Amino acid sequence: KTLLAADFTKSKDDELGEILKNPDMRVRMKAQFELAKRGEKGHAVFQKSLAQTANQLARVQAIWGISQLARQDKNYAKSLLPLLQDSDPEIRAQAAKWLGDIKYKEAGDKLIPVLKDEFSRARFFAAEALGRIMYEPGINAIIELLKNNNDEDAYIRHAASLALARIGKAEPIIALSNDP
């Protein structure tokens, strides 16, 4: 209750970084938004949160904060790319989700390997992201995702088919008309 009522504009960067670990999402988001307002200083705090691995919530909140910054300056999105290979599957999924959400076209080739991730949320968000950035070189990998899915996971099927629709190239899909 105290943190929700607090004025975070007066908090130091490191204090806000610690608040990103708070179990209450409302408090974490309040800290995230304040750090995002601080630009490069906030980005440094987000990077510090990403570097630690003890608190997954702080890492996710940092991804969200970096994506906020990247909406103003796409250069911030570069710091999300290494997270596509993180050891934590949820971090890989969140990085893919937000790279797609901010439509960071430069992530295309880095998203393709995530289509083979063992974590289905990571595959889902990678397919969705490739569609959002309309990454044509990813068409065959998305088709392969659909084949490997074998119509088992409706969410994967939806994300992949929507990605292909967003990319908008009919020829590769027409070529599959006789594919079992």
Side-chain angles (χ1 to χ4, degrees):
K1 184 177 178 181
T2 304
L3 287 172
L4 286 173
D7 180 5
F8 282 7
T9 61
K10 297 176 178 157
S11 298
K12 293 185 170 129
D13 296 341
D14 289 339
E15 292 171 346
L16 293 172
E18 284 301 309
I19 293 171
L20 291 177
K21 298 176 183 176
N22 192 288
D24 189 324
M25 183 177 177
R26 297 168 300 172
V27 173
R28 290 193 316 271
M29 287 189 77
K30 188 174 175 182
Q32 169 200 322
F33 274 72
E34 179 56 35
L35 286 166
K37 288 179 190 172
R38 297 181 184 189
E40 191 56 45
K41 288 175 141 187
H43 185 253
V45 175
F46 293 140
Q47 286 293 94
K48 190 175 176 182
S49 288
L50 286 172
Q52 60 83 36
T53 55
N55 189 300
Q56 185 189 58
L57 292 175
R59 297 184 81 205
V60 169
Q61 213 71 48
I63 292 169
W64 296 358
I66 291 170
S67 73
Q68 265 185 284
L69 290 169
R71 289 181 190 286
Q72 307 303 317
D73 180 353
K74 293 280 190 203
N75 286 320
Y76 286 114
K78 289 178 191 170
S79 59
L80 297 177
L81 292 175
L83 300 176
L84 294 171
Q85 298 174 341
D86 197 86
S87 61
D88 183 332
E90 185 58 29
I91 297 302
R92 294 191 303 270
Q94 289 292 318
K97 174 183 178 15
W98 291 101
L99 285 164
D101 193 65
I102 60 175
K103 296 182 171 110
Y104 189 61
K105 293 185 183 298
E106 293 82 353
D109 62 331
K110 303 272 193 262
L111 286 162
I112 289 177
V114 185
L115 293 174
K116 293 183 179 183
D117 198 289
E118 75 271 1
F119 189 51
S120 64
R121 282 174 52 83
R123 292 192 309 271
F124 172 88
F125 287 126
E128 190 177 68
L130 287 165
R132 285 178 182 258
I133 64 173
M134 295 184 264
Y135 192 68
E136 284 185 40
I139 290 173
N140 289 333
I142 296 168
I143 291 170
E144 189 66 27
L145 173 66
L146 281 167
K147 285 182 180 182
N148 291 338
N149 184 50
N150 197 28
D151 211 25
E152 291 173 11
D153 185 325
Y155 293 98
I156 297 292
R157 180 184 64 223
H158 174 73
S161 60
L162 183 60
L164 291 171
R166 283 179 170 162
I167 293 169
K169 287 289 189 184
E171 297 81 16
I173 309 307
I174 293 168
L176 296 170
S177 64
N178 293 320
D179 189 291

